[in-house]
Amino acid sequence: MTDSVAAIYNREDYPSMSHPTGHPSIMAASAIFGGLRTSHVPTSRILEIGCASGHHILPIAAAFPDASLTAVDLSNHAIEKAKSIAQSAKITNVQFLCADIKNWRPSAHQYDYIIAHGFFSWVDDEAKSALLDICQHALTPNGVAMISYNTQPGWALRQPLREMTNALRHMPACKNSSILALDLIESAMEGTDTDYGKYLISLIKDAKAKGEQQLKFDDLGPINDPCYFSQFVQWCQAAGLKYVSESDIALSNPAMLPEGAKSLLPNLRNDPLLQQQLADFFTGRTFRTSLICRADANLWQPTWEEVAEYSIELLMPIPATGNPITDRIAEVIHQQQPDCVPMRALLADIQTCDPEQAVTVILQLAQLGILRLRSIPYRRLQSMPEHPRLSLLNEHYLKAGLSIVDALHNPCKIAPSDRKVLLNCNGINSFDDIMRQCAEEKQVQSAHALLQFMNDRGLLC
Ligand SMILES: C[S@@+](CC[C@H](N)C(=O)[O-])C[C@H]1O[C@@H](n2cnc3c(N)ncnc32)[C@H](O)[C@@H]1O
């Protein structure tokens, strides 16, 4: 452990969040694209490495009370905070451990899912190799780990910006602020009309949008060590692991590539790893959420019936195509919005199509990022609860001014005006009481829409 990494996380609160691609329901569904059939999520054993104050793992624990979860972080104050939030939200199936993973190993073969989000690129090589060793040692034979990391060559220009910002923020004019340092670089670049200059300015804007607190740990953290996908795969192989697929399937889709690259990639069909690496070169990809498993895990080509066991989340409207199967799938899925529909139910609804062809179309839509597969369906409550309230966990996050987490594990930032309305959703006030209170403030319409939105996203009980 470089002292600088331990020092910053022991000194300051990391603004942790929920990350859908690190949710076992998505990991399980995305793993089938690489031919790995993982365990049933609701009763599985799940480990998170680098859990910070638990904003990612606690909603998973609350959603799956029969699962058994462990979460590890070296920051004592983050772990104490996570434990206290778990206690106030009455979540008892997650064990939080304060440990440096360089000196910590769980017992062998006991985790079906391992999650390490925001860890690999932000720690030294010893901690990277400890993480891979834990995955090899602790995954069950069909277990899967999701490791996120920054990738080259996408980071090639971000790194000089990181060095420059870190150097400039120590100037008196920047008062140790990264945002002021970025402002300074941006104004120095004013009037540039080179491609390089325009790209640098777009990177500065992206960096500034993250805000001071996030930048301090992420782009400008003490370690930020992007790697090539092929390097990552080699490290995994050396540790007795192998690559399965991406948790975010759409981002490894060859359809996103320039036309010339698309014609090149099919020639590499027999070398999917090289195909992936080339795709990163062509797209300048900066981030991956890779799924890996033990080298001895059994990978197979799933049948359409196996794929049909998963559920479908719509990420964006399906455009009309003129293809009768796609258009019929679109019609049925759009009708069921915002539910995450079991594929079997959908196939029953679209009886006119051949189910195998329908599954092929669904997989193509998932690879285009229009749909996402999940292993667990989600159905919203059919009507508004009479006395709406948030879960204890979300109530805690709301009161603490943090983002709340919806039923699909998406973080939702709540505007201060909405926060006031939601604090009235305490399970004692009826829906009508809440609307009456809002009427006094002439906010009935927006409050009504807010509660409808909350109910649609599974945030009310
Ligand atoms: C960038 S934060 C990511 C937090 C969270 N997973 C997320 O993505 O929002 C990295 C976390 O890893 C923890 N960490 C860093 N090195 C560690 C180590 N060697 N052992 C255990 N935890 C470590 C830090 O304390 C910090 O909470």
Side-chain angles (χ1 to χ4, degrees), residues 138-333:
L139 278 174
T140 51
N142 64 336
V144 68
M146 190 286 293
I147 298 183
S148 75
Y149 53 101
N150 285 338
T151 48
Q152 296 288 26
W155 263 84
L157 266 183
R158 289 176 191 231
Q159 271 179 309
L161 183 62
R162 164 189 153 87
E163 307 303 332
M164 197 153 50
T165 313
N166 270 336
L168 289 182
R169 79 189 158 96
H170 298 299
M171 285 173 52
C174 295
K175 302 179 190 144
N176 215 19
S177 154
S178 319
I179 299 290
L180 289 180
L182 287 163
D183 282 343
L184 196 69
I185 304 170
E186 195 177 9
S187 59
M189 297 293 295
E190 219 168 77
T192 181
D193 64 353
T194 62
D195 290 343
Y196 169 79
K198 286 181 198 158
Y199 183 55
L200 195 56
I201 287 176
S202 75
L203 292 183
I204 293 170
K205 289 196 190 321
D206 285 353
K208 279 170 40 178
K210 291 190 180 173
E212 190 78 50
Q213 190 63 7
Q214 191 78 37
L215 276 178
K216 190 187 297 180
F217 295 96
D218 290 356
D219 300 33
L220 307 175
I223 294 181
N224 188 330
D225 184 20
C227 64
Y228 286 95
F229 168 73
S230 54
Q231 243 176 332
F232 176 77
V233 171
Q234 275 168 21
W235 278 324
C236 290
Q237 285 166 349
L241 297 159
K242 67 183 166 192
Y243 178 74
V244 178
S245 66
E246 290 300 300
S247 189
D248 192 341
I249 287 301
L251 290 178
S252 41
N253 175 18
M256 309 283 191
L257 298 176
E259 285 308 316
K262 268 189 236 168
S263 58
L264 177 65
L265 291 186
N267 301 329
L268 303 170
R269 202 166 283 137
N270 294 332
D271 195 342
L273 296 180
L274 180 57
Q275 219 182 36
Q276 290 273 327
Q277 178 58 79
L278 285 181
D280 283 9
F281 272 110
F282 289 127
T283 56
R285 186 169 180 165
T286 54
F287 186 65
R288 276 182 176 266
T289 50
S290 292
L291 298 178
I292 55 171
C293 64
R294 279 167 40 175
D296 57 0
N298 213 357
L299 302 186
W300 92 127
Q301 183 71 36
T303 62
W304 72 264
E305 287 96 338
E306 286 168 312
V307 176
E309 295 307 319
Y310 294 89
S311 296
I312 301 171
E313 174 192 3
L314 186 68
L315 297 178
M316 60 179 80
I318 305 172
T321 59
N323 172 325
I325 301 186
T326 312
D327 292 350
R328 178 72 185 124
I329 289 173
E331 190 186 341
V332 175
I333 295 184

Side-chain angles (χ1 to χ4, degrees), residues 1 5 9 14 16-17 19 48 50 52 73-75 99-101 117-119 123 127:
M1 159 70 46
V5 173
Y9 289 108
Y14 177 77
S16 80
M17 273 228 237
H19 305 283
E48 186 182 18
D73 201 287
L74 60 71
S75 162
D100 183 335
I101 63 156
H117 192 279
F119 187 88
V123 292

Side-chain angles (χ1 to χ4, degrees), residues 325-346:
I325 301 186
T326 312
D327 292 350
R328 178 72 185 124
I329 289 173
E331 190 186 341
V332 175
I333 295 184
H334 289 157
Q335 273 163 9
Q336 311 226 13
Q337 272 312 288
D339 292 353
C340 175
V341 200
M343 218 182 291
R344 287 266 172 220
L346 179 95

Side-chain angles (χ1 to χ4, degrees), residues 32-33 302-310 312 325-326 329 343-344 346-347 350 353-367 371 373:
I32 55 141
F33 285 85
T303 62
W304 72 264
E305 287 96 338
E306 286 168 312
V307 176
E309 295 307 319
Y310 294 89
I312 301 171
I325 301 186
T326 312
I329 289 173
M343 218 182 291
R344 287 266 172 220
L346 179 95
L347 294 176
I350 52 168
C353 311
D354 168 37
E356 186 170 358
Q357 276 181 353
V359 169
T360 305
V361 169
I362 290 167
L363 289 179
Q364 283 163 353
L365 292 171
Q367 285 183 314
L371 305 176
L373 299 194

Side-chain angles (χ1 to χ4, degrees), residues 40 112 173 191 251 308 385 408 419:
H40 185 53
D112 305 300
L251 290 178
L408 295 176
R419 195 165 166 259

